[in-house]
Amino acid sequence: MSAGMASPAQQASRPWRKRPTRASLSFSLVRAHRSSYWIMCLAVFAATTLSCATLQARQAGLAYDGLHGLEGLNAYHRILTKAYYDLALNTVSLIALVFCLLVTVFLVLSSVSFLVQERRREYGLMRLNGASGKQVVAMALREFSLPLALADAAGCLAGSLLTVPVGMAFIRAMGTTDIDLLFHPRARLWVAAVAFALMMAVCLLGVWLATRRFGAETPLKLMTQPAVKDKKASRLRIVCSLALFLASITVAFMPVDRSEFYDRLLGLIVLLIITVYVAAPLLVPPVASLLGLLAEKTAAGPGLLARQRVRRGRAGATAIALPAMMALTILVSFILIMQAGRMSSVVLSIEPMKADVVASSDDLSQAGRISRTLQGLGREVGTADIYQTQQWVLTDKHGNIQMDTFPQVTWAQARDLADPSHKDTAPKVLQGSLADLGAGKVAISRAYDNQRKPGDTITLIDRHDKRHQVQVVAVIEPPKTTPHVNMDMLTTEDGLPREGENGRLYAFITARDHTQADDIAQQIRDTTHKITALNRQDFIDDYIKTSIKEQQGTPLMIAGGTILALIFLVQSIAIGISERRMQNRRLNQMGVTRGALAWSAAIETTLDVTAGIILSLVAVAITEASVAISFVRDGVGIQHTPIIADIFLPMSLLLLAVAIATTILCTRLTHKNQPTKH
């Protein structure tokens, strides 16, 4: 008996050598595909880091970490500071967290699908050796669980360490306030544990969705080439894709109330995300193959090889296209509806404006100067309404400060309120009389508080925390023709002292001849640099631009979403090249040079990513069309529909550039250790 063979007695004494355990099989598969696992784990680590840091920052915001010194502020600034951090670390961070989880679950699913597709033969051999379908799925879950858990745990640790910079990034993304307070977030162990459980659930869901179908397939079917398609599964995918597309179109264009604008668009985005994922394996290969005609004509051999590969419809093409599709569809559509919602409210609030000129200043003392200037213009001016506004703090009926409201107190001249020529810019009286306004008397807007009625007493708090009791003498409906002036509480010039916060002065001026609007605005500006005067169109344009620029958290969402998409894009490309190294080695041995292989891989990646960009453009176009139709139904001009080309195009070019660079780099690295052709 040779030295290398064991006797029957020795074999009997070591039964584990005869039949490997499930654990040993799982570890052997991990070792066989260790390079791909390293890539996938690094991507999961990065995604978990972002998700955990976002969750930590959100909890820190809920707990108001580091907001010491609030007791030294007045009531207005205390409420404003808490509201500011609530918005920055709750609203924006929640959107960021949902985006991270949405992208992660689909892209982990895509990556795992690609890996398990490449080892169909291995699963087929297991089934031939007696393993049941459930055992194969359980083995796959065990195989992926360990590396994913390690990556998840490391990501939660790194994310907790990044709580401070990520929290500060959220704060900076929201702009600045006039409150000199710093945010000092701290990491919490239980938040890291929740993040770990959440991400593991997302990862294992992706693994189960990717591997469950292999447990139902026959061993012979698993042993076939990966390029052989399952016609039954393809038909089911086609039916599901068509159903989802029709559902998306229905939701996009069905008539709804304006109050349901956001809900409808959010539902549309969810449907589009699912449709993109389900239809991607059907649509990416043909679109990439069609684009490959150009590559085949211009790049000769490498272009032909690239087109042949994309035409096979392999899982790798979909895995590479999906990061671009998901990032552009989810992120750009989210930003679009945020801008659309803001645009809709802005346009509807200013389009009824009757004034030919709007003058404004943050110095309330300029009211007299504006009045004198308008008197000097004489016959050029038709009517002029001058309002002064400030933010105050309100108490409830028990005398406690209301933490979620800042009523705008508006001062108007009593003679203007009674002048019938000012009917377009004067409030409509629903109860009581504006003639009763005076010292300690206010009219309250029904839109602000529909419970108050004439005779009620309200307590307001000024910037010195001094309380002022005022009596309600009228209930009004503010005019829609005076943007920026909400008139939550209206009083006359002697009604209250100017002791609120954020004072602002507005003058809405109509000209006897509309062609004189520019001259009136210029003469007002010439009086002092403290007053801004704009004609109607300039004021509307400036109002819209300012409102969109103030969209909170958009830059942070763009940066975070792009980084996450790039992580998974690089992962998908690297895994694809790693799993294809044996095929490339055979091609090299057949005479294809390494340079041609690298050039072909770059062309193939370009085709895949471009196909994904085109398909995501279709999804975003559906969202754009839905917004445009909603605007028309709501009375907002279609020309106000926000076009997000300035976001979509740079993101697409960045994804494409990174994809090409990653492909070339990874191809060269995989070729380094291969023997050269002689």
Side-chain angles (χ1 to χ4, degrees):
M1 183 178 292
S2 64
M5 296 182 62
S7 66
Q10 288 175 324
Q11 291 179 2
S13 65
R14 294 178 296 197
W16 61 86
R17 295 288 183 90
K18 294 173 60 178
R19 182 181 293 275
T21 63
R22 295 176 189 172
S24 64
L25 282 174
S26 297
F27 281 116
S28 67
L29 288 172
V30 171
R31 285 195 300 271
H33 300 272
R34 57 185 177 276
S35 58
S36 298
Y37 272 105
W38 270 110
I39 297 166
M40 184 177 67
C41 288
L42 287 174
V44 172
F45 165 78
T48 304
T49 299
L50 289 175
S51 300
C52 182
T54 301
L55 195 60
Q56 289 278 12
R58 175 174 170 76
Q59 183 58 38
L62 289 172
Y64 300 112
D65 283 358
L67 290 184
H68 304 297
L70 286 177
E71 62 279 357
L73 303 176
N74 63 25
Y76 175 83
H77 282 157
R78 285 199 303 274
I79 300 172
L80 182 65
T81 302
K82 288 189 173 183
Y84 175 78
Y85 286 108
D86 281 340
L87 181 62
L89 291 166
N90 295 338
T91 305
V92 177
S93 64
L94 180 60
I95 294 174
L97 182 61
V98 170
F99 178 79
C100 285
L101 295 178
L102 276 175
V103 174
T104 301
V105 70
F106 283 109
L107 295 178
V108 166
L109 174 55
S110 174
S111 302
V112 174
S113 296
F114 183 33
L115 281 173
V116 297
Q117 182 72 24
E118 292 296 320
R119 62 186 66 170
R120 290 171 60 95
R121 291 178 180 273
E122 296 168 357
Y123 292 139
L125 288 171
M126 294 179 195
R127 295 293 303 278
L128 287 174
N129 285 322
S132 66
K134 290 183 179 179
Q135 288 174 333
V136 169
V137 174
M139 189 178 302
L141 285 170
R142 187 183 299 109
E143 175 191 347
F144 283 95
S145 294
L146 180 59
L148 287 176
L150 292 175
D152 194 3
C156 288
L157 175 61
S160 298
L161 295 176
L162 291 176
T163 301
V164 173
V166 170
M168 295 305 296
F170 278 116
I171 293 297
R172 285 192 295 269
M174 303 302 294
T176 58
T177 63
D178 53 352
I179 313 300
D180 188 21
L181 288 177
L182 293 178
F183 175 61
H184 299 287
R186 64 181 181 87
R188 292 166 170 82
L189 180 61
W190 69 268
V191 175
V194 170
F196 176 84
L198 193 61
M199 290 301 294
M200 275 305 295
V202 168
C203 290
L204 292 179
L205 176 63
V207 174
W208 179 78
L209 289 173
T211 58
R212 76 190 194 285
R213 67 179 182 274
F214 291 104
E217 292 182 356
T218 64
L220 183 60
K221 197 172 185 179
L222 289 171
M223 295 294 291
T224 56
Q225 292 292 334
V228 176
K229 297 181 180 179
D230 186 339
K231 293 183 178 180
K232 183 178 178 181
S234 296
R235 286 196 296 268
L236 179 61
R237 188 178 289 272
I238 291 172
V239 171
C240 292
S241 299
L242 287 175
L244 287 168
F245 179 74
L246 291 175
S248 300
I249 295 297
T250 302
V251 171
F253 303 116
M254 67 180 182
V256 295
D257 294 333
R258 186 170 183 270
S259 60
E260 299 174 352
F261 178 79
Y262 275 111
D263 295 338
R264 189 264 300 277
L265 289 179
L266 287 174
L268 172 61
I269 291 177
V270 172
L271 279 172
L272 287 175
I273 293 168
I274 300 173
T275 305
V276 162
Y277 178 77
V278 173
L282 299 172
L283 299 178
V284 170
V287 174
S289 179
L290 187 62
L291 294 170
L293 288 172
L294 180 61
E296 184 178 339
K297 298 295 183 183
T298 57
L304 178 60
L305 178 59
R307 185 164 183 260
Q308 287 177 343
R309 281 176 164 173
V310 299
R311 286 181 66 183
R312 293 180 184 177
R314 296 170 62 92
T318 304
I320 292 172
L322 264 177
M325 296 172 73
M326 286 296 170
L328 293 173
T329 302
I330 300 173
L331 182 62
V332 175
S333 296
F334 254 122
I335 294 171
L336 171 61
I337 67 168
M338 289 171 64
Q339 290 190 359
R342 180 65 174 168
M343 184 78 77
S344 175
S345 61
V346 166
V347 173
L348 287 174
S349 69
I350 61 178
E351 282 200 334
M353 187 176 70
K354 301 295 183 181
D356 296 308
V357 177
V358 178
S360 60
S361 175
D362 56 5
D363 183 356
L364 297 183
S365 66
Q366 298 299 313
R369 186 185 294 270
I370 289 180
S371 295
R372 291 190 297 271
T373 301
L374 294 176
Q375 290 174 1
L377 291 173
R379 295 183 178 180
E380 294 182 28
V381 177
T383 60
D385 295 275
I386 300 176
Y387 295 107
Q388 300 174 55
T389 68
Q390 284 186 337
Q391 300 293 126
W392 285 56
V393 176
L394 184 68
T395 66
D396 58 22
K397 60 182 180 180
H398 302 294
N400 301 317
I401 296 175
Q402 292 191 6
M403 302 299 293
D404 57 349
T405 180
F406 299 105
Q408 185 184 82
V409 176
T410 303
W411 289 264
Q413 295 181 344
R415 64 176 182 273
D416 290 340
L417 294 175
D419 191 339
S421 65
H422 293 216
K423 62 180 180 179
D424 286 336
T425 52
K428 178 182 179 181
V429 180
L430 304 177
Q431 297 180 41
S433 173
L434 295 180
D436 295 331
L437 289 175
K441 306 292 179 64
V442 298
I444 191 166
S445 168
R446 182 177 62 179
Y448 175 73
D449 190 338
N450 57 11
Q451 302 297 320
R452 309 276 184 173
K453 57 184 184 298
D456 289 349
T457 300
I458 297 175
T459 301
L460 296 171
I461 302 177
D462 64 20
R463 65 171 173 263
H464 305 295
D465 281 347
K466 182 179 178 181
R467 299 184 177 230
H468 301 258
Q469 280 199 340
V470 294
Q471 184 181 13
V472 177
V473 296
V475 177
I476 61 172
E477 185 176 286
K480 297 180 179 179
T481 56
T482 54
H484 290 304
V485 181
N486 298 325
M487 296 187 188
D488 296 332
M489 295 181 187
L490 176 68
T491 188
T492 52
E493 291 186 316
D494 61 342
L496 278 170
R498 290 4 176 236
E499 295 295 339
E501 298 275 1
N502 295 334
R504 192 75 179 167
L505 170 68
Y506 295 100
F508 299 93
I509 305 158
T510 58
R512 294 187 184 277
D513 184 352
H514 297 311
T515 61
Q516 296 178 322
D518 289 336
D519 293 336
I520 295 174
Q522 186 59 51
Q523 291 188 56
I524 294 175
R525 288 194 296 267
D526 289 341
T527 60
T528 176
H529 68 279
K530 294 183 178 181
I531 300 176
T532 301
L534 301 171
N535 62 36
R536 184 205 310 256
Q537 191 58 52
D538 289 342
F539 176 79
I540 290 175
D541 293 342
D542 181 73
Y543 192 9
I544 291 176
K545 291 177 183 177
T546 302
S547 299
I548 296 303
K549 286 181 180 178
E550 291 175 352
Q551 189 69 58
Q552 308 290 9
T554 298
L556 191 64
M557 286 183 63
I558 295 173
T562 304
I563 291 171
L564 197 58
L566 290 174
I567 289 169
F568 280 101
L569 180 63
V570 170
Q571 171 205 251
S572 299
I573 294 171
I575 290 176
I577 293 173
S578 174
E579 295 293 325
R580 192 183 285 170
R581 63 185 182 276
M582 295 302 297
Q583 183 187 105
N584 286 341
R585 182 179 299 176
R586 289 194 299 269
L587 289 172
N588 182 243
Q589 291 170 350
M590 294 168 58
V592 182
T593 65
R594 291 179 176 180
L597 288 172
W599 179 225
S600 173
I603 294 174
E604 182 184 356
T605 298
T606 302
L607 296 176
D608 292 334
V609 175
T610 304
I613 291 172
I614 291 173
L615 294 173
S616 61
L617 180 60
V618 174
V620 173
I622 293 174
T623 310
E624 286 272 11
S626 177
V627 170
I629 291 176
S630 296
F631 274 20
V632 172
R633 288 173 180 158
D634 292 339
V636 179
I638 194 172
Q639 71 274 13
H640 295 300
T641 304
I643 305 298
I644 39 68
D646 58 333
I647 300 171
F648 188 94
L649 185 59
M651 282 186 63
S652 299
L653 293 176
L654 178 61
L655 290 166
L656 197 57
V658 171
I660 295 172
T662 302
T663 302
I664 295 174
L665 177 61
C666 291
T667 303
R668 290 185 180 276
L669 290 176
T670 56
H671 287 169
K672 264 189 176 182
N673 297 325
Q674 292 182 11
T676 57
K677 176 186 175 294
H678 296 288

